[in-house]
Amino acid sequence: MKVKQTLPDERLASLGHQRNMVAKVSYFVAAIEAVAGTKLIATVPRRSTLLHAKDKRLKLLSPPNIFPPFKYVMIWHPRVNTDAAHIWLRRTMQNLGTLLDTNADAK
């Protein structure tokens, strides 16, 4: 089974480097918790680290300037395309994402 490379893997490979992964998790918070108090490194979006900035088990570092920004996407089953509550949720999430981007640009 071929595993799709992640953004960090692709960028590091283009520079002739390779990560030595010891674990793979599905969520950024899980990655942060998995490395807390260890010598392991997790590559996660900056915003995901902000909630953990005061955690003394972690050392937050800025990555080298090789990672471009990426977009978050929403995925849902087609059966909820016309569901009023789901439409509201998607619009709310999109508005919050736009607000976060606007606030990030202002800093």
Side-chain angles (χ1 to χ4, degrees), residues 46-87:
R46 181 185 54 82
R47 287 186 185 144
S48 296
T49 66
L50 298 178
L51 297 172
H52 303 272
K54 293 182 180 178
D55 188 334
K56 297 199 185 308
R57 301 173 302 155
L58 297 168
K59 182 175 182 180
L60 305 180
L61 304 169
S62 295
N65 227 2
I66 64 169
F67 300 122
F70 67 92
K71 294 184 179 194
Y72 287 90
V73 296
M74 291 186 285
I75 300 172
W76 59 89
H77 194 280
R79 74 172 168 257
V80 295
N81 279 345
T82 58
D83 179 85
H86 204 268
I87 292 169

